Amino acid sequence: MIDISVWWAIYPLMGLFAGFFAGLLGIGGGMILVSLMVFAFNAQGFPAERVMHLALGSSLATIIFTSLKSMQSHHRHGAVRWDIVKRSAAGLVLGTLAGSALAEALRSKALAVLFTAFVVYSAVNMMLDLKPKPNRQLPGTLGMQVAAAAVGIASALVGAGGGFLAVPLMSMCNVPMRQCVATSAAFGLPIAISGTIGFLVGGWNKDHLPALSVGYLYLPAVIGIVVGTFVTVPLGARVAHTIPVSRLKKVFAVILSIMAVKMTLSLM
């Protein structure tokens, strides 16, 4: 088993990797981080029945900081659609709280299967890069709230910031891709805050949790990853506004799918 002092160095490296893609694609970095943290927590010998919940809760906690940094970077480029954010915020919060409660009721293996399914769905969307009908527009306020709630539920179940659903959904409604990425980064904040609260409360006073945990938040991972993401999120956001990202998205989708499948097999 690797000593805890070594993990204090490894977790920032994980944050450096995830932070770049968070800024580049507006995905919060959660789906990368959950997979990496499952590997890390298994290597540290954490109880198998707690590994997935700890990875989800810790991932959402890091996204609070990642989304703030990413949102600020995209806002400076004038790309965040705040009108969409305002119409979606309530649905995002309620959906994420509901998803956190559902996650607490599920076993780690079931959560791993759900996580992989969502990752593969997201990867297929990235690889196919389907084009929407030219006349399709965003739904009204009620439709936006329902869609946002669905994004929130899914985000809590996979420990992500919602970009894996929000970006393709907005793109399907003819929102320009750079605005999709930037607005998705803003979505990550209400999702991450409410999801973190949900996993904090859900894991409070649970047994078989490792030292330095608060609820389902493992603090060494949260702190180390946040340090790393703060370095690379602005870089990813700058790159998103200077180069076409379609090819990189496809490569990223393949890597993400492989990681998710390997993670699920390791928990079976």
Side-chain angles (χ1 to χ4, degrees), residues 21 38-39 49 56 66 68 77 86-87 99 122 128 134 141 173 181 201-202 217 230 249 264-265 268:
F21 287 104
V38 166
F39 294 134
E49 69 272 20
L56 294 174
T66 304
L68 268 172
H77 289 89
K86 290 176 183 177
R87 291 165 61 194
S122 177
L128 294 180
T141 299
C173 295
V181 170
V201 173
L217 278 61
F230 264 52
K249 282 171 64 176
T264 302
L265 291 175
M268 293 301 181

Side-chain angles (χ1 to χ4, degrees), residues 157-202:
L157 289 174
V158 301
F164 66 104
L165 281 178
V167 169
L169 284 174
M170 285 187 284
S171 179
M172 285 169 57
C173 295
N174 288 294
V175 177
M177 179 53 69
R178 297 193 195 282
Q179 291 184 8
C180 292
V181 170
T183 306
S184 173
F187 277 11
L189 187 58
I191 288 173
I193 291 174
S194 49
T196 298
I197 292 171
F199 278 95
L200 181 66
V201 173

Side-chain angles (χ1 to χ4, degrees), residues 85-96 145 148-149 190:
V85 176
K86 290 176 183 177
R87 291 165 61 194
S88 305
L92 291 171
V93 171
L94 293 174
T96 305
Q145 294 288 359

Side-chain angles (χ1 to χ4, degrees), residues 2 17 19 25 34 37 41 46 63 69 83 87 92 109-110 115 146 149 152 182-183 187 200 203 210 214 250 260-261:
I2 302 175
F17 178 67
L25 303 175
V34 171
M37 278 192 277
F41 294 166
F46 292 177
I63 292 171
K69 194 71 174 177
D83 58 317
R87 291 165 61 194
L92 291 171
K109 290 182 180 179
F115 174 84
V146 171
T183 306
F187 277 11
L200 181 66
V214 180
K250 292 174 183 176
V261 171

